[in-house]
Amino acid sequence: MTRRRLLALLGAAPLAAAGWFGWARGRNPYYDGPPSDHFDGLRFFHPEQPPDKSPIAAFRALRLAEKAPWPESWPSPFADQPPAQVTGSGLRVVSIGHATHLIQAAGLNILTDPVWSERCSPVSFAGPKRVCPPGVAFEDLPRTDVVLLSHNHYDHLDTATLARLVARDDPRIVTALGNDAIVRAAVPRARVEAHDWGDRVELGDGVTASLVTACHWSARGVTDRRKALWTAFAIDAGEAGRVYFAGDSGFFSGAHFRKAAAEHGPFRLAILPIGAYEPRWFMKDQHLNPAEAVEAFSLLGAEHAIGCHWGVFRLTAEAIDAPAAELATALRARGVPPERFRALRPGEVWEG
């Protein structure tokens, strides 16, 4: 190759890269559907959602912000071996860690956002690492009937865990628009189905799950921001009661919590995130802080709540135990008995 030819190729490389990124930004690899009140033909959005923050702002918040120290290991004092199933009016929920829960009701075993991997990352050697083992060993997990996936961030949609579940149990996987393409590409055998906000899905044995609005976003890489939908779920388990699973959400006006209560309540239990909220100037658009979680609990009109999304993966700047401490403070300020809203550690069980 001549020197002139080499220089020409080197000069063309950045232009080719820029062209590829421009093309990738302008297409949706996950979903092709008509525009709606929350889809513009390319990206999903929430009507209250502010403009996306810039990559520079994200770098400031996630890399340059002062961070409270975290321990390398913070094991939970709890561990659980769930029963094969729970029937009748019983409702049993165990925290497995972060946003992963096993909900047992009406004879069904339902997993939310299952992650058993050591890291929530696109690679196995870097990214947020688990500081606490799962509260239920994978081998002790009873047969999974249904998986509910709220959105495609790596701490919620873990394809390695989904592959293990599909190989062992072949569960039905219910998620929001576009995420089915991600699951199917990684786990071709998966029985995955995608639905829109407002859809009601029959899960079996009289149990339903409705996809309800959340204020969040989605991305697996640098060109796919908001190209798959995110969702919360309202589960109706008949005699066992109704459960709200928030996935991830900001608070904004709280209208989405009021709407869920009006359309799908009353809730016996709400599962609400209380962690990954600092620095507040950056995280408020996407994650509740503990005080907002208590307000959401009130707006949902739930009898009880579980606080999750804390103490497992280091995602943001607050101390590892700050979410639980600030939740206790917020509950005292509102006069809510602490037993009504518990910040569960992995392996800890709520039964009602």
Side-chain angles (χ1 to χ4, degrees), residues 23-46 177 196 225-230:
W23 171 80
R25 282 195 297 268
R27 64 182 292 271
N28 189 320
Y30 308 136
Y31 176 71
D32 181 16
S36 71
D37 64 354
H38 55 278
F39 181 64
D40 64 11
L42 177 65
R43 301 179 194 275
F44 293 92
F45 61 92
H46 186 278
L177 297 175
D196 201 357
R225 190 178 181 92
R226 293 191 287 109
K227 291 181 179 178
L229 185 60
W230 52 94

Side-chain angles (χ1 to χ4, degrees), residues 221-253:
V222 296
T223 64
D224 66 341
R225 190 178 181 92
R226 293 191 287 109
K227 291 181 179 178
L229 185 60
W230 52 94
T231 192
F233 289 95
I235 304 163
D236 187 342
E239 187 181 353
R242 299 175 180 179
V243 178
Y244 177 88
F245 171 61
D248 267 349
S249 186
F251 188 83
F252 296 95
S253 70

